[in-house]
């Protein structure tokens, strides 16, 4: 279990890549506007898309600007049960004492804490959630005493589960899908993303995207980390075709 206080901006970047910047992409700017509306309405939002497209980074960056003191971020690495969510929230919200033994008492405690002041509950890796888990989040949100907005961040399974359950999907105020960067977006974004690409030839960037980046921020972070290592070892100021070929050989796969 992780809470908002366990993360700083460096944690947002895959591999903790030194020198990486948060870039104001169209997706991030749209997300910030959407989140502002969701927070004002105390509503639910679903941010979904394939892995590595910058969903979590964008949500974290936007919420640091919009509601830094109100965020409670939880994350799961396996399929949780409603009981797991109760205990994760108990810790993340800083509840005192021992967790109640009975679900009805546990839920009453969580609702009491969530009624004390505004909260933004961010559930990352929400693709691991079952229908019963989503129903539990809805149960908390539906209570008139709680003062919460909920942001689900996850892959396609998260979207599909929510969409096929009318009781759930009808309560989602905003849906936002993240997609791969187009070639034009790569050429605009990547030189700003990390200094190692600042003066790179557009053809070199396009070549790197075809063979390793694939319009995916996480793939570009991994590619960039390898390029930084290569330049340090070779004493070169900027990447070239030979550096990229060495990196591709490290990344493996058919494209290498």
């Amino acid at each position: 279990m992780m809470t908002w206080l366990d993360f700083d901006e460096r944690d947002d970047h895959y591999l903790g890549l030194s020198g990486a910047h948060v870039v104001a992409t169209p997706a991030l700017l749209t997300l910030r506007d959407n989140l502002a509306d969701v927070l004002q309405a105390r509503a639910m939002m679903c941010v979904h898309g394939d892995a590595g497209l910058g969903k979590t980074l964008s949500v974290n960056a936007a919420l640091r600007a919009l509601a830094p003191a109100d965020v409670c971020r939880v994350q799961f690495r396996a399929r949780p049960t409603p009981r797991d969510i109760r205990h994760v929230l108990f810790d993340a919200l800083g509840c005192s004492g021992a967790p109640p033994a009975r679900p009805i008492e546990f839920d009453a405690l969580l609702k009491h804490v969530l009624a004390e002041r505004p909260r933004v509950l961010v559930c990352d890796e929400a693709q691991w959630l079952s229908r019963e888990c989503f129903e539990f989040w809805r149960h908390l949100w539906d209570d008139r005493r709680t003062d919460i907005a909920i942001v689900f961040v996850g892959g396609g399974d998260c979207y599909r589960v929510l969409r096929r359950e009318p009781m759930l999907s009808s309560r989602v105020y905003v849906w936002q899908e993240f997609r791969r960067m187009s070639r034009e977006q790569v050429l605009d974004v990547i030189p700003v993303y990390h200094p190692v690409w600042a003066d790179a030839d557009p053809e070199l960037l396009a070549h790197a995207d075809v063979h390793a980046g694939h319009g995916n921020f996480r793939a570009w972070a991994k590619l960039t980390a390898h390029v930084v290592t290569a330049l340090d070892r070779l004493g070169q100021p900027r990447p070239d075709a030979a550096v990229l070929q060495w990196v591709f050989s490290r990344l493996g796969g058919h494209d290498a």
Side-chain angles (χ1 to χ4, degrees), residues 129-146:
L129 299 183
S130 65
R131 177 179 179 273
E132 290 73 21
C133 289
F134 281 120
E135 283 287 355
F136 177 74
W137 288 103
R138 181 184 68 81
H139 174 68
L140 295 179
W141 184 82
D142 272 351
D143 193 288
R144 293 186 178 183
R145 295 168 296 174
T146 61

Side-chain angles (χ1 to χ4, degrees), residues 8-22:
D8 62 27
E9 293 182 35
R10 291 172 298 177
D11 295 314
D12 291 341
H13 294 284
Y14 182 61
L15 301 173
L17 184 61
S18 178
H21 300 129
V22 175

Side-chain angles (χ1 to χ4, degrees), residues 94-211:
C95 300
S96 59
R102 298 175 58 193
I104 191 169
E105 296 170 351
F106 212 145
D107 292 353
L109 172 64
L110 292 176
K111 290 175 183 179
H112 175 75
V113 174
L114 292 172
E116 292 176 342
R117 64 181 181 87
R119 303 272 191 171
V120 184
L121 305 183
V122 179
C123 181
D124 205 358
E125 304 293 351
Q127 70 271 11
W128 293 110
L129 299 183
S130 65
R131 177 179 179 273
E132 290 73 21
C133 289
F134 281 120
E135 283 287 355
F136 177 74
W137 288 103
R138 181 184 68 81
H139 174 68
L140 295 179
W141 184 82
D142 272 351
D143 193 288
R144 293 186 178 183
R145 295 168 296 174
T146 61
D147 188 8
I148 57 176
I150 301 178
V151 182
F152 297 115
V153 186
D157 289 345
C158 163
Y159 174 81
R160 284 189 288 272
V161 171
L162 282 169
R163 272 301 192 192
R164 68 173 175 248
E165 299 294 338
M167 288 285 287
L168 296 170
S169 63
S170 65
R171 287 165 168 76
V172 177
Y173 190 54
V174 176
W175 304 82
Q176 182 174 343
E177 181 182 9
F178 271 60
R179 298 180 178 180
R180 293 178 182 270
M181 292 182 287
S182 67
R183 187 60 44 76
E184 292 73 19
Q185 288 174 325
V186 166
L187 298 181
D188 286 340
V189 168
I190 296 304
V192 184
Y193 166 63
H194 196 280
V196 77
W197 304 112
D199 300 318
D201 186 281
E203 291 187 5
L204 189 76
L205 289 173
H207 180 67
D209 192 55
V210 168
H211 290 278

Side-chain angles (χ1 to χ4, degrees), residues 65-115:
L66 294 171
D70 299 332
V71 176
C72 176
R73 184 181 188 272
V74 297
Q75 180 174 324
F76 303 95
R77 294 297 186 186
R79 294 196 177 278
T81 65
R83 179 182 182 278
D84 296 327
I85 298 176
R86 288 185 180 97
H87 282 270
V88 164
L89 285 175
F90 182 88
D91 292 336
L93 293 169
C95 300
S96 59
R102 298 175 58 193
I104 191 169
E105 296 170 351
F106 212 145
D107 292 353
L109 172 64
L110 292 176
K111 290 175 183 179
H112 175 75
V113 174
L114 292 172

Side-chain angles (χ1 to χ4, degrees), residues 1-56:
M1 185 273 294
M2 301 178 185
T3 69
W4 182 257
L5 295 178
D6 295 317
F7 291 80
D8 62 27
E9 293 182 35
R10 291 172 298 177
D11 295 314
D12 291 341
H13 294 284
Y14 182 61
L15 301 173
L17 184 61
S18 178
H21 300 129
V22 175
V23 184
T25 63
L28 189 151
L29 294 175
T30 299
L31 178 70
R32 181 165 175 169
D33 289 343
N34 286 338
L35 272 173
D37 293 340
V38 167
L39 299 188
Q40 183 175 8
R42 316 308 294 168
M44 290 190 197
M45 180 177 184
C46 178
V47 183
H48 60 97
D50 291 341
L53 299 182
K55 303 183 298 294
T56 298

Side-chain angles (χ1 to χ4, degrees), residues 210-214 222-223 226 244-256:
V210 168
H211 290 278
H214 310 301
K222 182 163 56 175
L223 169 64
H226 284 297
L244 287 187
Q245 194 58 41
W246 180 82
V247 170
F248 297 160
S249 72
R250 280 192 139 197
L251 294 174
H254 178 73
D255 286 338

